[in-house]
């Protein structure tokens, strides 16, 4: 099925460092969302973006909806060990809830 | 419970067996989704219900896959004559939003049912 191009695939960083990951698509989306998935759990919503150019923060997380509506990025500042997990971007082509997910970015944080 | 509940959490089936996976959405959520997540991949859409109506089943990989939500609450995903390629985590998600409304993508996922077909 169709998937987004998410990068990097994995990151191994030191606690306290900032992290950046992004997602691109050949299709336009009305909504971009970022989810986090811990092992053995379902994805949990972190941030949702609804307007091209929108920049939204949630604590140490900041995400942007690309102006072309074909990309988005997620930044995590001052990483901590509990940030460990898999981060997925997801695009929604219309207001249906039918999401197209990226392949995920696995984040590991060294204390 | 407060969240989306799925059962069983783990299911091992022999090739050719039928399986049924259950999802209890958050109480009052009108929208319910099934996603399939293969190992190391992101979730892929299977089907969508608004109340008891199955409005989109475009993601179901074959006619061996069947989903229902007869009373607009609990849903069951059934896979007939399982094959090895069906091995995956099946995620159920619900939303309070109806089709076409903003924030319809803000989904609450369950923990998933991991299916292994031998």
């Amino acid at each position: 099925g169709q998937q987004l191009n998410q990068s990097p695939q994995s990151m191994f960083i030191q606690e306290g460092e900032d992290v950046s990951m992004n997602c691109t698509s050949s299709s336009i989306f009305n909504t971009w969302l970022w989810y986090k998935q811990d092992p053995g759990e379902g994805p949990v919503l972190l941030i949702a973006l609804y307007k091209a150019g929108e920049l939204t923060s949630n604590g140490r997380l900041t995400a942007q909806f690309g102006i072309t509506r074909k990309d988005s990025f997620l930044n995590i500042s001052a990483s901590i060990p509990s940030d460990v997990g898999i981060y997925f971007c997801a695009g929604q082509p219309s207001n249906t809830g039918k999401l197209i997910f990226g392949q995920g970015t696995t984040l590991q944080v060294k204390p | 419970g407060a969240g989306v509940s799925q059962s069983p959490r783990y299911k091992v089936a022999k090739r050719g067996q039928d399986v049924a996976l259950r999802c209890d959405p958050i109480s009052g959520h009108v929208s319910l989704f099934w996603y399939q997540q293969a190992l190391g991949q992101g979730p892929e859409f299977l089907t969508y219900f608004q109340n008891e109506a199955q409005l989109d089943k475009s993601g179901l990989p074959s006619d061996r896959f069947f989903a229902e939500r007869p009373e607009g609450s609990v849903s069951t995903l059934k896979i007939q004559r399982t094959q090895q390629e069906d091995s995956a985590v099946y995620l159920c998600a619900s939303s309070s939003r109806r089709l076409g409304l903003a924030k319809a993508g803000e989904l609450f996922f369950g923990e998933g049912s991991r299916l292994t077909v031998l």
Side-chain angles (χ1 to χ4, degrees), chain A residues 10-63:
Chain A
S10 62
M11 304 180 75
F12 190 86
I13 62 170
Q14 197 77 29
E15 181 177 2
E17 289 183 350
D18 297 344
V19 171
S20 185
M21 58 192 80
N22 67 78
C23 219
T24 59
S25 170
S26 57
S27 304
I28 290 174
F29 290 118
N30 289 345
T31 303
W32 281 94
L33 306 105
W34 286 89
Y35 283 84
K36 182 189 179 206
Q37 187 174 29
D38 292 329
E41 305 290 328
V44 174
L45 181 66
L46 298 174
I47 289 182
L49 302 152
Y50 296 100
K51 290 172 60 176
E54 178 182 359
L55 185 72
T56 296
S57 293
N58 178 10
R60 293 179 297 106
L61 276 60
T62 301

Side-chain angles (χ1 to χ4, degrees), chain A residues 1 3 33 35 37 40-43 45 48 50 88 92 95-99 101-103, chain B residues 9 33 35 37 41-45 56 58 99-101 103-107 109-111:
Chain A
Q3 284 198 327
L33 306 105
Y35 283 84
Q37 187 174 29
E41 305 290 328
L45 181 66
Y50 296 100
F88 289 100
Q92 183 179 317
N95 292 333
T96 63
K98 179 178 177 178
L99 302 180
F101 282 84
Q103 305 98 318
Chain B
R9 289 292 312 277
F33 306 82
Y35 283 80
Q37 187 174 24
Q41 300 294 317
E44 290 198 14
F45 172 82
D56 188 340
S58 62
L99 183 77
L101 294 182
K103 301 191 177 183
E106 295 185 13
L107 305 183
F109 282 87
E111 295 175 316

